Amino acid sequence: MANVLRNSAKFGCSGVLSQLSIHSRHGRECVSPCFSLQQRNNSTSPKIKVDLDNSTGVAVLRMQSPPVNSLSLDFLTEFCINLEKLEMDKSCRGLIITSTLSKVFSAGLDIMEMYGKSPERCGEFWKAVQEMWLKLYGSNMATIAAINGSSPAGGCLMSIGCDYRIMADNPRYSIGLNETQLGIVAPFWFKDTLVNTVGNRAAELSLELGLLYSAPDALKIGLVDQLVPEDQVLSTAQDTMSKWLVVPDHARQITKSMMRKQTIDKLLSNREADITNFVSFITKDSIQRSLRMYLEMLKSRKA
Amino acid sequence: MANVLRNSAKFGCSGVLSQLSIHSRHGRECVSPCFSLQQRNNSTSPKIKVDLDNSTGVAVLRMQSPPVNSLSLDFLTEFCINLEKLEMDKSCRGLIITSTLSKVFSAGLDIMEMYGKSPERCGEFWKAVQEMWLKLYGSNMATIAAINGSSPAGGCLMSIGCDYRIMADNPRYSIGLNETQLGIVAPFWFKDTLVNTVGNRAAELSLELGLLYSAPDALKIGLVDQLVPEDQVLSTAQDTMSKWLVVPDHARQITKSMMRKQTIDKLLSNREADITNFVSFITKDSIQRSLRMYLEMLKSRKA
Amino acid sequence: MANVLRNSAKFGCSGVLSQLSIHSRHGRECVSPCFSLQQRNNSTSPKIKVDLDNSTGVAVLRMQSPPVNSLSLDFLTEFCINLEKLEMDKSCRGLIITSTLSKVFSAGLDIMEMYGKSPERCGEFWKAVQEMWLKLYGSNMATIAAINGSSPAGGCLMSIGCDYRIMADNPRYSIGLNETQLGIVAPFWFKDTLVNTVGNRAAELSLELGLLYSAPDALKIGLVDQLVPEDQVLSTAQDTMSKWLVVPDHARQITKSMMRKQTIDKLLSNREADITNFVSFITKDSIQRSLRMYLEMLKSRKA
């Protein structure tokens, strides 16, 4: 954890909203951090593909929503429905989450769900974000994130909601809860999950500075558990899962609940207040102005 | 903590109850993990030997109950009586716990105390396990575990109940709370003690998978504090103890209580419920069947 | 964290009150740990010098109270007044704390404030210690400790009250909450701050043994974040601060509050009891006798 600032952490590829020009020097490698702009194609094609291998009891959930697997309301709804199905399927014991896209696992929450939307719609969206985390962090399945690309903000939340994290050994890929960089504050349950994963001090530094960690640096602070060559992320996840499934399910499940119940209960008993907080923050004029600037910057970069 | 799964942790030498055949490939080095089968010799010879050096104020408690220092009701009772005596002896300021047996510190809870016993007897046994931990974790003495052999499950609990852990630098020796591997769940106070020792994330991985760590791996995650050559474990413990005793007793004791009181109080205020939980779990038909299978496996391996 | 005792921690340069002779072998390099003896010069010259750079929004607070920046009531009062001024100055966003003295950042609480003083005066002093911590740990400014010398006890508390710690890479400089070595117990909020910084187990070892860590060892356990050559401590702090100030203030402040509020509230709601505890402890005959011995030792060493 030492020397995080000096050696290992990068200040996102975005800088802050007020410093959008920083973006230009990063070029095409850069995944829009924190908020992402999803193509509006009104497509009804599924954003998520699930394959359950009945012989092993392991499902692979592939996120396939170009360009960056943004967590839109539609995406989150589809994600939760799939998770629920697998959870109730007695033959499914393990879940691997990965991405079909090149260079990105998930770029996080979809900015379009937060810009120019009604408070009701914003609240609905936030509830879906909560639901994704509640289902994942409390899943009875053994869950492994096969992180084959960058994973900022909401993508990082999804990753640390799993039981184990395997990331592509590529220093260009980054992961972290970088909300602060954009003037946004990660809510308490993002924070709690991060503290549970990397400890209080690393979480404090990480959140106060909105740090994005390169894959090697993420390994150093324990934000991911293992790095493997990019083409072995999924196969390693499969191998690792087979070890997790040696453990009797009920003992693993009770143990997992013992470790995570308190953190989950804290959101459950503050869910409405958390939604109210988010909505009142995101609908502020100043924040909406910032989002518009950010949006225009994303669009211009695309062009 | 990174790469625990890949490099450093072993899935016990037992595998799970349902996979008993795994045992065969480990041969004679292997200490029965988690539960152990004690010889029934009805011996009245002491299972524990205590030597108090009045010139230094340091007592050495030697566990000498072959073959594997199983924590039977008799053993635990004797252990607690000795601990209590030392605690009340003003001339005793430090306690070193070690084993006279080759290759094993303690193999953990005695399976015979849990198989085919009445609920009353099971409850009495569990109360003795609680008592051992309460006395050790809250001891006013400076306590050092001189871990000169393997130390799974209850043996690990005893170790992390001390103030400091010195282990023999032998990769064949392992330590960990591997209960999950056998379909058993470590109770909340085992978990709390482990979290206090290695942090939340290492404890989560360790408990969900029931990991046994080789001595070098145990050092890496902070499950033990120091490795020394096997023949220097006790002498190093003596040297280390002399450093602990430089600190004024009352300041060390108040500080220790400040660090551990909350964890101890949690069990004290849930003691009866914890016993009830254990008894209702262990007397289940399914668990008793598993224990019988495990028992037969241990016997056949012995033969 | 492993091997702390063996390799990395030193038992202060003081040993305990009962072993004052230990001091002699350390010579002049040694900063009086834990409690320090301030020159009584009744000077009205400021003990603290503050320079605010309006172009950067960064203030440098220099402690300049020879010989060892003891935290006397006067010093603490001056410190808090300066902190409060900066906190209310909208143009000040970041604070760097450092020392003008050679070899010492701050040697901690001034023993003269605790020896032979009335309970009322002792209470007033302790309240000022609390105030220093409350203001610093909860500051809205980004705070960096530029630790250019030894920093035991109260000096360590001041350091871990900041957001980030840069220390001179000199193994002769040490830092730690070494109160236990002198028969004193660090209060719960010292403990909480240390646990938040280095985790539970490192804090437990550190506090039970009253360990002082050399700069390299402090880095290993995360007690400081970064080591740099002695002549670059302040310039590195300036560079680091400029990175902290890239983050939008309000997001950083809300995040910091989310991380620290619980710890701060615990003292706020137990403030009077904590003062009563301290006063009743420090005014005990036995403790006063110990302080007198310690005082005489410090004086004789000086002569």
Side-chain angles (χ1 to χ4, degrees):
Chain A
M1 207 191 73
N3 290 339
V4 164
L5 254 189
R6 189 181 42 171
N7 297 325
S8 65
K10 304 183 304 178
F11 279 81
C13 39
S14 75
V16 287
L17 284 176
S18 54
Q19 301 203 338
L20 298 177
S21 60
I22 289 179
H23 275 283
S24 54
R25 64 182 163 90
H26 289 275
R28 299 170 52 200
E29 240 43 54
C30 180
V31 171
S32 321
C34 211
F35 297 140
S36 53
L37 179 58
Q38 194 73 338
Q39 287 176 323
R40 300 293 110 178
N41 56 9
N42 295 319
S43 158
T44 55
S45 65
K47 293 169 170 36
I48 282 162
K49 186 168 175 292
V50 174
D51 294 297
L52 170 56
D53 181 338
N54 281 302
S55 70
T56 61
V58 178
V60 177
L61 183 157
R62 286 179 178 84
M63 302 185 285
Q64 53 178 15
S65 179
V68 290
N69 286 327
S70 284
L71 306 180
S72 63
L73 180 54
D74 284 354
F75 183 101
L76 290 166
T77 305
E78 206 177 310
F79 185 91
C80 284
I81 289 172
N82 276 291
L83 217 58
E84 206 161 328
K85 266 190 213 160
L86 295 172
E87 202 75 56
M88 292 189 306
D89 184 338
K90 294 291 171 199
S91 71
C92 181
R93 301 173 59 213
L95 169 67
I96 295 169
I97 300 177
T98 195
S99 162
T100 61
L101 308 180
S102 166
K103 297 179 187 162
V104 61
F105 182 72
S106 163
L109 305 186
D110 188 345
I111 192 174
M112 291 310 290
E113 301 288 1
M114 293 176 274
Y115 177 66
K117 292 285 188 298
S118 71
E120 290 69 30
R121 170 75 189 205
C122 285
E124 193 186 359
F125 172 64
W126 196 247
K127 194 171 182 176
V129 180
Q130 293 178 335
E131 195 64 31
M132 179 268 282
W133 177 80
L134 286 167
K135 283 200 157 40
L136 198 53
Y137 202 59
S139 172
N140 268 325
M141 297 179 281
T143 52
I144 295 179
I147 309 165
N148 53 346
S150 281
S151 195
C156 177
L157 179 72
M158 189 182 277
S159 300
I160 59 180
C162 291
D163 291 322
Y164 198 75
R165 284 157 287 289
I166 298 163
M167 191 167 183
D169 191 2
N170 184 336
R172 295 195 166 195
Y173 296 162
S174 62
I175 183 169
L177 294 177
N178 58 321
E179 283 81 356
T180 321
Q181 286 269 336
L182 297 210
I184 310 291
V185 177
F188 71 88
W189 43 286
F190 283 53
K191 183 263 287 178
D192 290 343
T193 314
L194 188 63
V195 168
N196 289 352
T197 307
V198 301
N200 187 81
R201 173 58 184 160
E204 185 177 67
L205 259 188
S206 170
L207 291 174
E208 288 195 20
L209 292 168
L211 299 175
L212 282 178
Y213 297 85
S214 72
D217 292 337
L219 180 67
K220 267 180 218 150
I221 67 157
L223 185 53
V224 300
D225 297 297
Q226 194 174 340
L227 299 186
V228 298
E230 200 152 347
D231 59 354
Q232 295 168 28
V233 172
L234 186 58
S235 61
T236 306
Q238 298 272 19
D239 290 348
T240 304
M241 183 59 84
S242 70
K243 292 179 193 167
W244 279 74
L245 297 186
V246 169
V247 180
D249 284 345
H250 72 282
R252 186 184 46 69
Q253 288 159 359
I254 298 173
T255 303
K256 182 172 176 175
S257 168
M258 178 169 66
M259 296 301 301
R260 301 190 169 185
K261 187 172 188 307
Q262 201 177 7
T263 305
I264 289 172
D265 286 350
K266 203 166 139 197
L267 176 57
L268 285 178
S269 59
N270 288 286
R271 205 165 170 181
E272 283 310 314
D274 183 60
I275 293 175
T276 307
N277 273 346
F278 172 76
V279 171
S280 80
F281 179 82
I282 209 71
T283 55
K284 271 185 190 155
D285 281 352
S286 59
I287 300 296
Q288 286 290 312
R289 268 196 305 275
S290 297
L291 293 179
R292 197 187 59 215
M293 284 173 59
Y294 189 61
L295 206 50
E296 281 163 5
M297 180 277 297
L298 287 176
K299 280 178 182 164
S300 72
R301 212 173 52 175
K302 240 181 178 169
Chain B
M1 206 189 75
N3 289 338
V4 165
L5 253 189
R6 189 181 43 170
N7 297 324
S8 66
K10 304 183 306 179
F11 280 81
C13 39
S14 75
V16 287
L17 284 176
S18 55
Q19 301 203 341
L20 298 178
S21 60
I22 288 179
H23 277 282
S24 54
R25 62 183 163 92
H26 289 276
R28 299 168 55 199
E29 240 44 56
C30 181
V31 171
S32 321
C34 211
F35 296 140
S36 53
L37 179 57
Q38 194 73 339
Q39 286 177 324
R40 300 294 112 179
N41 56 9
N42 294 319
S43 158
T44 55
S45 65
K47 294 168 169 37
I48 282 161
K49 185 167 174 293
V50 174
D51 294 296
L52 170 57
D53 181 337
N54 281 304
S55 70
T56 60
V58 178
V60 177
L61 184 156
R62 287 180 176 83
M63 303 184 285
Q64 53 178 12
S65 180
V68 290
N69 287 327
S70 285
L71 306 180
S72 63
L73 180 54
D74 284 353
F75 184 100
L76 289 167
T77 305
E78 207 176 310
F79 185 91
C80 284
I81 288 172
N82 276 291
L83 216 57
E84 207 160 328
K85 266 190 214 162
L86 295 171
E87 202 74 56
M88 292 188 305
D89 185 337
K90 293 290 172 199
S91 71
C92 181
R93 301 173 59 214
L95 170 66
I96 295 169
I97 300 177
T98 194
S99 161
T100 62
L101 307 180
S102 165
K103 296 178 187 161
V104 62
F105 181 72
S106 164
L109 305 185
D110 188 345
I111 192 173
M112 292 309 290
E113 300 289 1
M114 293 176 274
Y115 177 65
K117 290 287 188 296
S118 71
E120 290 70 30
R121 169 76 188 204
C122 286
E124 193 185 0
F125 173 65
W126 195 245
K127 194 170 182 177
V129 179
Q130 292 177 336
E131 196 64 31
M132 179 269 281
W133 178 80
L134 286 168
K135 282 200 159 38
L136 199 52
Y137 202 59
S139 173
N140 268 325
M141 296 179 282
T143 52
I144 295 179
I147 310 165
N148 53 347
S150 281
S151 194
C156 178
L157 179 71
M158 187 182 280
S159 301
I160 58 179
C162 291
D163 291 322
Y164 198 74
R165 286 157 284 289
I166 298 163
M167 190 165 182
D169 190 3
N170 185 336
R172 296 196 164 193
Y173 296 161
S174 61
I175 183 169
L177 293 178
N178 59 321
E179 283 81 355
T180 322
Q181 286 270 337
L182 296 211
I184 310 291
V185 177
F188 70 88
W189 42 286
F190 284 52
K191 182 263 287 176
D192 290 343
T193 315
L194 188 62
V195 168
N196 290 351
T197 308
V198 301
N200 187 82
R201 173 58 183 160
E204 184 177 69
L205 259 187
S206 170
L207 291 174
E208 288 194 20
L209 292 168
L211 298 176
L212 281 177
Y213 296 85
S214 73
D217 292 338
L219 181 66
K220 269 181 217 148
I221 66 157
L223 185 53
V224 300
D225 297 297
Q226 193 174 342
L227 299 187
V228 298
E230 198 152 348
D231 59 355
Q232 296 167 29
V233 172
L234 186 57
S235 61
T236 307
Q238 299 271 18
D239 291 347
T240 305
M241 183 59 83
S242 70
K243 291 179 193 168
W244 279 74
L245 296 186
V246 169
V247 181
D249 284 346
H250 74 282
R252 186 185 45 70
Q253 288 159 359
I254 298 172
T255 304
K256 182 172 177 177
S257 167
M258 179 170 66
M259 297 302 300
R260 301 191 168 186
K261 187 172 187 308
Q262 200 177 7
T263 305
I264 289 173
D265 285 350
K266 204 166 139 197
L267 176 57
L268 285 178
S269 59
N270 289 286
R271 205 165 170 181
E272 282 310 313
D274 183 60
I275 294 175
T276 306
N277 273 347
F278 173 76
V279 171
S280 80
F281 179 82
I282 209 71
T283 54
K284 272 184 189 157
D285 281 353
S286 60
I287 299 297
Q288 286 291 312
R289 269 198 303 277
S290 297
L291 293 179
R292 198 187 59 215
M293 284 172 60
Y294 189 61
L295 207 50
E296 281 163 4
M297 181 276 297
L298 287 176
K299 279 178 183 164
S300 73
R301 212 174 51 176
K302 237 178 179 171
Chain C
M1 209 188 74
N3 288 340
V4 164
L5 253 190
R6 189 182 41 170
N7 296 326
S8 66
K10 304 182 305 179
F11 279 83
C13 38
S14 77
V16 285
L17 284 176
S18 55
Q19 301 202 340
L20 299 178
S21 61
I22 289 179
H23 277 283
S24 55
R25 62 182 165 89
H26 290 275
R28 299 168 53 199
E29 240 43 57
C30 181
V31 171
S32 322
C34 211
F35 297 140
S36 54
L37 179 58
Q38 194 74 338
Q39 287 176 323
R40 298 295 110 179
N41 55 9
N42 294 319
S43 158
T44 55
S45 64
K47 295 168 169 38
I48 282 162
K49 187 169 173 291
V50 175
D51 294 298
L52 170 56
D53 181 338
N54 281 303
S55 70
T56 60
V58 178
V60 177
L61 184 156
R62 287 180 176 83
M63 302 184 285
Q64 53 179 13
S65 180
V68 292
N69 286 327
S70 285
L71 306 180
S72 64
L73 180 54
D74 283 354
F75 184 101
L76 290 166
T77 305
E78 207 177 309
F79 185 91
C80 285
I81 289 173
N82 276 290
L83 217 57
E84 206 160 327
K85 267 190 213 161
L86 294 172
E87 201 74 57
M88 292 189 306
D89 184 339
K90 294 291 170 199
S91 70
C92 181
R93 301 173 59 213
L95 170 67
I96 295 170
I97 299 177
T98 193
S99 161
T100 61
L101 307 180
S102 166
K103 295 178 187 161
V104 61
F105 181 72
S106 163
L109 305 186
D110 187 344
I111 192 174
M112 290 310 289
E113 300 288 1
M114 293 176 274
Y115 176 66
K117 290 286 187 298
S118 70
E120 290 69 31
R121 170 77 189 204
C122 285
E124 194 186 357
F125 172 64
W126 195 247
K127 194 170 183 178
V129 180
Q130 292 177 336
E131 196 64 31
M132 179 268 283
W133 179 80
L134 286 168
K135 282 199 159 37
L136 198 52
Y137 202 59
S139 172
N140 268 325
M141 297 178 282
T143 52
I144 295 181
I147 309 166
N148 53 346
S150 281
S151 195
C156 178
L157 179 71
M158 188 183 278
S159 301
I160 59 180
C162 292
D163 291 322
Y164 197 75
R165 285 157 285 290
I166 297 164
M167 191 166 182
D169 191 4
N170 184 337
R172 295 194 167 193
Y173 295 162
S174 62
I175 184 169
L177 294 177
N178 59 319
E179 283 81 355
T180 322
Q181 286 270 337
L182 296 211
I184 310 291
V185 177
F188 70 87
W189 42 287
F190 284 53
K191 183 263 286 175
D192 290 344
T193 314
L194 188 62
V195 168
N196 289 352
T197 307
V198 301
N200 187 81
R201 172 59 182 160
E204 185 177 68
L205 259 187
S206 171
L207 291 174
E208 289 195 19
L209 292 167
L211 298 175
L212 282 177
Y213 297 85
S214 73
D217 293 337
L219 181 66
K220 268 181 218 149
I221 67 157
L223 184 53
V224 300
D225 297 298
Q226 193 175 340
L227 299 186
V228 298
E230 199 152 348
D231 58 355
Q232 296 167 28
V233 171
L234 186 58
S235 62
T236 306
Q238 298 272 18
D239 291 348
T240 304
M241 183 60 83
S242 70
K243 292 180 192 166
W244 279 74
L245 296 186
V246 170
V247 180
D249 284 345
H250 73 283
R252 186 185 45 70
Q253 288 160 358
I254 298 172
T255 303
K256 182 173 175 174
S257 168
M258 179 170 67
M259 296 302 300
R260 301 190 168 186
K261 187 172 187 309
Q262 200 176 8
T263 305
I264 289 173
D265 286 350
K266 203 167 138 197
L267 176 57
L268 285 178
S269 59
N270 288 286
R271 204 165 171 181
E272 282 310 314
D274 183 60
I275 293 175
T276 307
N277 272 346
F278 172 76
V279 172
S280 80
F281 179 82
I282 209 72
T283 55
K284 271 185 192 155
D285 282 352
S286 59
I287 299 297
Q288 286 291 312
R289 268 197 305 276
S290 296
L291 292 180
R292 198 187 59 215
M293 284 173 59
Y294 188 61
L295 208 50
E296 280 163 5
M297 180 276 297
L298 287 176
K299 279 177 182 164
S300 73
R301 212 174 51 177
K302 238 180 180 171

